Amino acid sequence: MRVDVVTIFPDYLAPLGLSLIGRAREAGLLDLRVHDLRDWTHDRHRTVDDTPYGGGAGMVMRPEPWGEALDALTPAPGGGAGPRLVVPTPAGRRFDQAMAHELAAEPWLLFACGRYEGIDARVVEEAAGSGRVSRVDEVSLGDYVLNGGEVAVLAVVEAVARLLPGVVGNAESLVEESHAASRHGLLEHPVYTKPAAWRGREVPPVLLSGDHGAVARWRRDEALRRTAARRPDLVARLDPAALDRRDLAV
Ligand SMILES: COC(=O)c1ccnc(N)c1
């Protein structure tokens, strides 16, 4: 997978050179390229923003640098499949594990990191109709505001890259975690490791019992309990299979 990121703070994406994602890049599983939007400015001050039409506080990112950047980084219409353009914004569609899987199936993603009050709306309109990108998604991590899209890109790239074959050592661990489809929308159960007793707190005895059926039932019950307590919204959408304990006869 190729991933391009356009930002006025390239150093913000440095963490993508570390650990799991860094190894994926070294292994050639992820071709990550970070670009400075100011490379597509032409004035002495390398200006990327201006005051908003209609008034109001803050500044808006100018369309010209973005237009030139996207033209430079995407194939001309008819020149082959372009990237899926992803624009992190509080006004976007909610990012979730299902979207992570959707994006992980793409051969090429291009992230546009907005700053200030956002990017001139014509940039996304122009890209969507340009024939240079496969589609455009404005994506939100949740109902809160950041100063820029870079932090969101770090989160989305990690959530997506870890799903690529070969990136996570034990693919099995991808199956068991919260929000994975296999968990029917339940949150993950509590996890424990040695020592069996720590500061007077014992690991739940069922986990030491060796009874795999009882462990599976305990984990399912704990996942349900947690989900009901922390995410009642997910309970409303629960897949009935999540409640079916017949499949726990391991
Ligand atoms: C500038 O971008 C944001 O503030 C942002 C991006 C994605 N998700 C959010 N919740 C905020």
Side-chain angles (χ1 to χ4, degrees), residues 27-123:
L29 298 169
L30 181 66
D31 171 12
L32 180 75
R33 310 170 192 198
V34 179
H35 311 275
D36 185 340
L37 179 66
R38 295 189 195 276
D39 290 350
W40 287 282
T41 61
H42 308 291
D43 62 302
R44 192 156 57 90
H45 297 293
R46 310 186 82 198
T47 311
V48 292
D49 64 329
D50 205 331
T51 52
Y53 276 122
M59 303 288 271
V60 173
M61 296 192 100
R62 295 169 51 228
E64 299 95 327
W66 278 109
E68 290 187 33
L70 295 177
D71 286 351
L73 297 174
T74 59
R84 183 161 172 173
L85 175 62
V86 181
V87 185
T89 165
R93 188 158 62 104
R94 187 67 174 268
F95 180 72
D96 59 13
Q97 195 65 14
M99 194 187 295
H101 281 282
E102 207 184 292
L103 296 180
E106 294 286 345
W108 184 7
L109 301 175
L110 193 160
F111 290 90
C113 296
R115 283 256 144 195
Y116 313 111
E117 299 312 309
I119 303 173
D120 184 300
R122 291 169 291 180
V123 173

Side-chain angles (χ1 to χ4, degrees), residues 120-180:
D120 184 300
R122 291 169 291 180
V123 173
V124 163
E125 287 168 23
E126 161 80 3
S130 68
R132 289 174 167 270
V133 299
S134 60
R135 68 177 268 172
V136 180
D137 293 277
E138 295 186 77
V139 169
S140 169
L141 295 192
D143 296 333
Y144 49 85
V145 182
L146 301 166
N147 279 340
E150 287 81 6
V151 166
V153 169
L154 290 174
V156 173
V157 169
E158 176 155 325
V160 170
R162 64 194 300 277
L163 298 176
L164 299 177
V167 174
V168 171
N170 171 12
E172 186 60 30
S173 63
L174 291 180
V175 173
E176 277 307 298
E177 60 197 9
S178 292
H179 302 294

